[in-house]
Amino acid sequence: MIGLIILGIILDLGGGPNHDRIGFRYWIDPGPFVQRYDIPGDLGRFLGWWSVMTQAAFSFIGTEIVAIAAGEAKNPRRNVPRAIKRVYIRILLFYVLGTFIIGLIVPSNHPSLDLTNHDAAASPFVIAIKTAGIKGLPSLINACLLSSAWSAASSDLYTSSRALYGLALSGQAPKVFIKTSKSGLPWVSVAFSSAFAFLAYMGINEGAGTVFGWFSDMTAIAGLMTWWGICFTYTRFYKGLKSQGIDRSKLPYASKLNPYAAYYALVSILIICLFSAWDVFLKGKWNTARFVTNYLPFALFPILYFIARYFNKTPLVKPSEMDFQTGLAEIEAATYDEPPPRNIVEKFWSKLI
């Protein structure tokens, strides 16, 4: 990704074979904010910006994997806070800076950005490289993006299988998912989660771009609702600490923006999900597939929650009765100070991870 960012800067400054110095040209024509469905004025530009909100969320989904991996991480009280702090650096570098560079080198109205008319391999960086006239490199970039997608798939498989395993342990999923191998791998959960990969063959008939749009919408909404659940859980956790007089600053990691950041996220996520597919309600724009893929996961979240509450008959725990001590002694006993790096290579590696 760093290489693509550097390449994007070179292309923007006219370093490509066509020697076209782009600068901020595309920020003027067609501009970063384009009217949605030719709706005039500021309203059309706002709706154009809002229409990509779920796609932006899709790109950010997965940053919570760091916390999920804590159960299998070595020395979690030290390594998990370090990993969480470095997520911000990766977001600023890969997402924010990467998006800024893409906005410089690819016009927002480029036809290859429309996945309904092209395949899912229409990467903005590949578009910019082809426009600059660099031969051979687009295939290499697509190969790199494919390896990145494979890495993302493996991490998602890990997350989904461990979440399913955890649900089974707590009695909220069938007990068959508790089965593990001799090494502790929850192979039934992994196999069940892997089976959903076969849905990718839907792209044979419907087109890769269209199916990718469906899955990205569903994943984004489901991920946002997962974030909503995390934020809600945190607000309850915060109230419990406050009620029992526990100082948050003594925790291995504590954000200075909370609980206000959590309240902001709770409201923002609901608004984004509620209006994620607003365009299907416009006259002549109804799309059943888009409506279902956006609002089905949004509706299922509260339905499944209240069904579970009804059958389990478990009330919310009062903040003053929350248990923050069980298992803490074992975690603290497993915490240790890692030896300092012995050379430059180990120092670089410790900073990197």
Side-chain angles (χ1 to χ4, degrees):
M1 189 65 193
I2 295 176
L4 289 175
I5 292 174
I6 295 174
L7 176 62
I9 295 174
I10 294 173
L11 296 179
D12 183 67
L13 296 177
N18 60 358
H19 300 295
D20 181 17
R21 185 182 177 89
I22 302 173
F24 289 87
R25 180 195 311 165
Y26 297 140
W27 283 32
I28 301 174
D29 183 23
F33 299 101
V34 181
Q35 270 77 13
R36 183 69 169 172
Y37 299 124
D38 296 325
I39 299 174
D42 294 338
L43 176 61
R45 284 188 286 271
F46 171 77
L47 295 177
W49 169 77
W50 187 267
S51 63
V52 299
M53 194 65 69
T54 52
Q55 286 89 335
F58 172 77
S59 299
F60 282 92
I61 297 301
T63 53
E64 72 281 0
I65 292 177
V66 175
I68 295 176
E72 299 183 26
K74 293 182 179 179
N75 202 7
R77 285 177 70 87
R78 174 189 174 276
N79 291 327
V80 172
R82 288 180 60 189
I84 291 175
K85 292 177 182 178
R86 287 168 186 174
V87 167
Y88 298 108
I89 299 176
R90 292 182 173 91
I91 290 176
L92 290 174
L93 180 62
F94 297 148
Y95 292 101
V96 178
L97 184 57
T99 302
F100 174 76
I101 297 299
I102 289 173
L104 293 177
I105 60 180
V106 179
S108 57
N109 61 351
H110 196 287
S112 295
L113 293 174
D114 187 359
L115 291 179
T116 59
N117 297 326
H118 295 76
D119 58 37
S123 164
F125 284 107
V126 172
I127 295 172
I129 292 170
K130 288 183 177 179
T131 303
I134 303 176
K135 298 181 180 180
L137 189 56
S139 298
L140 177 61
I141 298 302
N142 279 329
C144 294
L145 293 177
L146 184 60
S147 65
S148 177
W150 184 271
S151 175
S154 64
S155 64
D156 289 338
L157 177 60
Y158 170 84
T159 305
S160 58
S161 60
R162 291 332 185 257
L164 185 58
Y165 176 71
L167 288 172
L169 285 177
S170 62
Q172 299 178 18
K175 295 295 183 182
V176 66
F177 295 115
I178 297 179
K179 292 185 178 181
T180 61
S181 64
K182 293 181 179 179
S183 60
L185 176 70
W187 64 271
V188 178
S189 298
V190 172
F192 181 79
S193 301
S194 301
F196 288 90
F198 292 104
L199 292 175
Y201 289 105
M202 294 171 59
I204 296 176
N205 293 328
E206 297 294 338
T210 301
V211 175
F212 178 80
W214 295 345
F215 287 155
S216 65
D217 286 343
M218 292 189 70
T219 303
I221 299 301
L224 285 172
M225 294 311 298
T226 300
W227 284 1
W228 192 93
I230 293 172
C231 291
F232 178 77
T233 302
Y234 176 80
T235 58
R236 297 277 301 157
F237 172 77
Y238 177 85
K239 290 179 180 178
L241 292 179
K242 189 175 181 179
S243 175
Q244 298 181 30
I246 301 176
D247 187 3
R248 273 197 326 131
S249 63
K250 303 300 181 181
L251 300 177
Y253 177 80
S255 172
K256 296 180 180 180
L257 297 178
N258 279 319
Y260 307 106
Y263 294 141
Y264 170 78
L266 286 172
V267 176
S268 300
I269 289 171
L270 290 179
I271 294 175
I272 293 173
C273 292
L274 184 61
F275 297 100
S276 60
W278 60 269
D279 50 347
V280 301
F281 300 105
L282 297 178
K283 185 177 181 180
K285 299 296 182 181
W286 176 258
N287 186 318
T288 303
R290 178 165 166 76
F291 177 83
V292 172
T293 54
N294 278 270
Y295 291 117
L296 178 62
F298 183 46
L300 277 178
F301 185 90
I303 291 175
L304 294 177
Y305 173 78
F306 286 112
I307 288 176
R309 287 288 304 277
Y310 176 78
F311 284 101
N312 294 331
K313 308 295 184 181
T314 52
L316 287 177
V317 180
K318 296 179 180 180
S320 59
E321 298 176 357
M322 292 181 181
D323 183 7
F324 297 116
Q325 301 301 323
T326 301
L328 182 59
E330 290 82 355
I331 296 175
E332 291 181 340
T335 303
Y336 57 90
D337 293 328
E338 296 185 354
R342 295 169 294 181
N343 50 54
I344 297 178
V345 176
E346 290 186 357
K347 186 176 182 180
F348 172 77
W349 184 253
S350 65
K351 293 291 184 182
L352 183 64
I353 62 174

